[in-house]
Amino acid sequence: MPIKKLISTGNSCLEDREDITSAPLWHIGKVAVLESQESFNLLQNTIDYLTCKGKSSRTFTDNEKEFMKELFEALWWGGKYHGFDEAAKLANHYVNGKGKILTINSEVYSKSAIVSDAMLAMKGYISELHSNKKPFVELKTNNPHFLRSVHVKQLKRGSRNVNRQGYILNNGALLVEQSNQRLKNADHRFYLGVNTKKTSGGFVSRWKVESLYDFEHFSKGHITDIPLAKGFVLKLPDGLSQYLTDISVAKVFTYTSQWQENWK
Amino acid sequence: MINMKIKFLFFYVLISSLFIGCAEEVDCFVADSVAKVRAVSVNNKTYYVYLRTSGFSEKEHFYELYKNEPKFDDCGKSNSRPISEAHIDTTRGNMSKLIIKDSQIKVIYSKDTPQIVNYKNVQIDAK
């Protein structure tokens, strides 16, 4: 790239723009319904401009902050519309939740292939601990004894198809099966914990997942592709989503989910 | 809250009109982004290596090996299945290179090499 063009690109956000739209939702709708190239360009150019400002750690105007907030709220509408309720709820909570803990529907976890198989493996391990009169009340998938046990073998890479089944990583985190869009867009990898009590008829277990909702810095170079209509894919840098926490538009938060199971 | 309800009503009406048949709809919330790494020749056969990045706030990366050059839709779905795929599992160490052998793709990790910043610039050994 010629030096002049490099300098021009580097300086592209030095001058404040006044045409920041305060209604990204309106333009997203226009792209989604009418395939409006003009609205798409306006959205992408604004994201690119704000990315440039974020990379130079510049503050955003009120209009620019509102644009980003509404963009995440628009993701809520889009997520709901496509049936990804949890991912939608998380995106909205990022800009409206003030950092408070959020509880999400446990079904998104309990119906996952890797979670179901991890629950089976953990129950086998708990039964073994109980038979050997060892403590079994609290267990998490990153427990080193559990990870070395025979029960984990069926969860490990190699014996599993990552698209249909997911697998357990070396540190005990569960990697979601890639075909499960609903879960992977809400929580891609996480530890599964369980609190178990012995009852007269067997065991009662309270399963729990707790994760942190945050985005990577610009340095990682990650970009999220958001398709609005066929041929119109909005590119949102994760670094820009992260930068929103630096300028108080968004807050990192913990989200959690719990469910109970009686078993023998 | 009233503001949110107005927005919801607005968006509902807007999106509902999709069913009347204006724009072509895409069926994903966020898309997997897919990038070509390079074409590799092994025993006079050409294979195509792609890097898939999936997830929203938490990204995971996968290499995919194709026999024929694939095409992807706006959601990152390919028109043909990869013959092999490999997840970049950062809990196993830093990735040092990729190996293609017997139509399979494998990520090699090392504790001595620094983490590759751009996964597209990976070294590929074809055997």
Side-chain angles (χ1 to χ4, degrees), chain A residues 73 157 167 178 189 224 231, chain B residues 7 59-60 74 87 92:
Chain A
E73 287 172 356
R157 202 176 64 96
Y167 69 90
Q178 294 303 294
R189 58 158 97 177
T224 299
Chain B
K7 281 181 192 172
K59 301 281 195 282
E60 295 291 338
D74 285 340
H87 172 232
R92 301 182 70 203

Side-chain angles (χ1 to χ4, degrees), chain B residues 90 92-96 108-116:
Chain B
T90 50
R92 301 182 70 203
N94 292 338
M95 181 177 68
S96 61
I108 303 298
Y109 300 92
S110 163
K111 288 189 171 118
D112 306 323
T113 53
Q115 182 62 45
I116 296 172

Side-chain angles (χ1 to χ4, degrees), chain A residues 142-166:
Chain A
N142 63 352
N143 180 299
H145 300 292
F146 170 66
L147 284 173
R148 281 197 297 270
S149 77
V150 66
H151 305 278
V152 174
K153 205 175 168 187
Q154 58 184 318
L155 303 177
K156 286 192 172 169
R157 202 176 64 96
S159 61
R160 298 178 69 86
N161 179 309
V162 72
N163 276 320
R164 286 184 288 107
Q165 299 172 300

Side-chain angles (χ1 to χ4, degrees), chain A:
Chain A
M1 190 185 280
I3 287 180
K4 268 187 182 177
K5 197 171 180 189
L6 268 176
I7 293 169
S8 150
T9 307
N11 289 345
S12 60
C13 62
L14 283 183
E15 286 179 23
D16 282 331
R17 266 174 53 176
E18 289 177 3
D19 60 342
I20 302 294
T21 172
S22 59
L25 196 58
W26 164 253
H27 291 285
I28 285 172
K30 271 182 79 178
V31 179
V33 178
L34 305 169
E35 298 186 353
S36 164
Q37 186 69 51
E38 190 188 353
S39 286
F40 179 80
N41 291 346
L42 182 66
L43 288 165
Q44 191 61 66
N45 289 342
T46 306
I47 288 172
D48 294 346
Y49 167 72
L50 295 178
T51 298
C52 175
K53 281 188 88 170
K55 278 183 175 173
S56 2
S57 302
R58 294 179 60 202
T59 54
F60 285 13
T61 64
D62 287 346
N63 255 3
E64 290 163 354
K65 287 180 180 179
E66 186 58 27
F67 173 88
M68 287 308 300
K69 188 167 176 280
E70 283 209 16
L71 192 64
F72 270 81
E73 287 172 356
L75 291 176
W76 185 87
W77 313 119
K80 287 287 275 187
Y81 176 72
H82 287 295
F84 303 119
D85 285 20
E86 295 76 23
K89 205 172 170 185
L90 290 163
N92 183 55
H93 196 76
Y94 189 54
V95 291
N96 286 311
K98 297 173 183 166
K100 289 179 189 163
I101 293 176
L102 179 72
T103 301
I104 62 170
N105 188 349
S106 61
E107 192 186 88
V108 71
Y109 291 104
S110 62
K111 286 195 170 174
S112 144
I114 182 62
V115 173
S116 300
D117 292 346
M119 285 168 69
L120 269 179
M122 291 169 89
K123 286 189 283 188
Y125 183 69
I126 289 166
S127 291
E128 187 183 298
L129 290 175
H130 177 255
S131 301
N132 295 334
K133 297 188 168 36
K134 288 184 176 169
F136 62 86
V137 175
E138 294 290 344
L139 180 64
K140 211 171 178 182
T141 47
N142 63 352
N143 180 299
H145 300 292
F146 170 66
L147 284 173
R148 281 197 297 270
S149 77
V150 66
H151 305 278
V152 174
K153 205 175 168 187
Q154 58 184 318
L155 303 177
K156 286 192 172 169
R157 202 176 64 96
S159 61
R160 298 178 69 86
N161 179 309
V162 72
N163 276 320
R164 286 184 288 107
Q165 299 172 300
Y167 69 90
I168 193 166
L169 303 174
N170 278 9
N171 63 358
L174 305 181
L175 176 72
V176 173
E177 60 274 11
Q178 294 303 294
S179 55
N180 188 342
Q181 284 210 44
R182 185 176 161 197
L183 182 53
K184 81 173 182 183
N185 286 323
D187 203 353
H188 217 154
R189 58 158 97 177
F190 49 83
Y191 299 104
L192 176 64
V194 63
N195 177 292
T196 303
K197 283 174 188 159
K198 183 79 182 81
T199 61
S200 53
F203 298 91
V204 55
S205 288
R206 186 147 197 87
W207 301 95
K208 185 177 182 183
V209 176
E210 191 174 280
S211 299
L212 193 71
Y213 193 83
D214 61 355
F215 289 86
E216 296 282 6
H217 288 75
F218 284 114
S219 59
K220 287 273 183 180
H222 291 166
I223 288 173
T224 299
D225 286 352
I226 304 166
L228 302 179
K230 200 175 177 193
F232 293 88
V233 181
L234 208 57
K235 299 212 170 278
L236 176 64
D238 288 17
L240 179 58
S241 301
Q242 185 281 324
Y243 188 67
L244 298 183
T245 63
D246 295 347
I247 53 172
S248 303
V249 172
K251 278 210 165 167
V252 170
F253 63 94
T254 298
Y255 57 108
T256 181
S257 197
Q258 292 188 48
W259 65 101
Q260 193 167 299
E261 185 191 16
N262 296 302
W263 56 281
K264 291 180 182 175

Side-chain angles (χ1 to χ4, degrees), chain B residues 20 35 45 62 85 91 97 102 119 123:
Chain B
I20 301 166
K45 280 185 190 168
F62 301 82
E85 49 205 319
T91 66
K97 62 182 175 182
D102 301 329
Y119 289 140
Q123 177 192 332

